[in-house]
Amino acid sequence: MKENGFAKDTKMKTFLTNGGEKLILVERQHGFVLILRLGTILLGTLIALTLFPLAFSYFSLSPKLPIVVSFIFLIIAINLIVKSYVDWYFHLYIVTTRKIMEASYAPLFSHVINEVLLDQVRCTEVDIQMEGIVKEIIDMGNIMVTFDRPTHQEEFCLINIKNPQKIGILLGDALDNMQHYFTGDPVWYRTKGGVSRFTEQIFPRNIMPMGGGFA
């Protein structure tokens, strides 16, 4: 289990919707994603606060007007900074012994949960993607988990997370163990940049409905 403080947080128990279900992994996006958003907001605010007073001065407008406009820009920037942090903080990738899910909660804007029930699919591939020298340096990348459903194939993506190689191997081990638990007939799946594994074809006879969300 990932010892990152989340598994011990009682709030994370909200996502445990079945008896005996346990948390395996909870991850946010890499902190660089937040820093990039905040840097963009601050840079845009700095440019606006520099150009608008110059424009007002050039057109000989009221000297009070630049102060009012600058104050409005600061209020907007503060709100954008707070929203960016909240969006990042409440965007979680969660893996339990029964499901893998992406939960995104933006107060007053949206509440989205994308969930895959592991006893209704089979995992066929785990891909680890790290593109570009910047992502290599800061150790940020994507993990693409491919699932086969009875009627179609789909991907579950963990985007811009920290330590993708480590998390990918951990996720592969967890999926391997869980899908062997659900059945027992092996099927190949692989991890790019990681290891090849054996796991299971799973379309169980008894399927239990599950849900999840924030308290």
Side-chain angles (χ1 to χ4, degrees), residues 17-158:
T17 54
N18 287 269
E21 185 177 7
K22 297 180 180 180
L23 277 172
I24 294 174
L25 172 71
V26 181
E27 276 290 326
R28 293 190 181 96
Q29 290 188 320
H30 197 290
F32 181 76
V33 174
L34 176 63
I35 293 173
L36 189 61
R37 292 175 187 171
L38 297 182
T40 302
I41 294 171
L42 292 175
L43 180 61
T45 303
L46 180 61
I47 293 174
L49 293 178
T50 301
L51 294 181
F52 273 90
L54 293 176
F56 291 140
S57 176
Y58 178 80
F59 290 105
S60 300
L61 299 176
S62 171
K64 294 182 180 180
L65 193 56
I67 298 176
V68 174
V69 173
S70 298
F71 181 75
I72 293 174
F73 271 107
L74 285 174
I75 295 298
I76 294 174
I78 291 172
N79 279 274
L80 289 175
I81 288 172
V82 172
K83 184 181 184 304
S84 296
Y85 178 78
V86 170
D87 289 347
W88 174 82
Y89 187 84
F90 288 107
H91 186 187
L92 302 172
Y93 297 105
I94 299 153
V95 181
T96 75
T97 52
R98 301 303 298 272
K99 58 181 174 283
I100 179 171
M101 62 190 299
E102 176 184 9
S104 178
Y105 176 60
L108 304 179
F109 290 93
S110 64
H111 181 184
V112 178
I113 292 179
N114 178 24
E115 182 178 90
V116 177
L117 306 181
L118 295 177
D119 58 357
Q120 297 183 23
V121 298
R122 65 165 181 161
C123 175
T124 59
E125 188 172 326
V126 178
D127 294 342
I128 301 170
Q129 301 176 349
M130 297 179 68
E131 300 176 351
I133 188 171
V134 174
K135 290 189 176 182
E136 290 283 352
I137 293 174
I138 64 176
D139 198 13
M140 180 175 74
N142 307 329
I143 299 176
M144 323 295 286
V145 184
T146 304
F147 292 105
D148 278 344
R149 291 183 180 275
T151 57
H152 66 284
Q153 187 178 82
E154 65 180 38
E155 282 188 340
F156 188 97
C157 305
L158 289 75

Side-chain angles (χ1 to χ4, degrees), residues 169-206:
I169 293 174
L170 174 64
L171 187 57
D173 288 336
L175 291 171
D176 191 12
N177 293 333
M178 284 184 283
Q179 295 192 354
H180 273 91
Y181 171 79
F182 288 130
T183 52
D185 302 324
V187 63
W188 282 107
Y189 78 91
R190 59 191 172 86
T191 61
K192 292 181 180 177
V195 294
S196 297
R197 304 183 186 282
F198 234 15
T199 189
E200 170 62 305
Q201 169 77 29
I202 49 174
F203 300 120
R205 298 175 183 175
N206 299 318

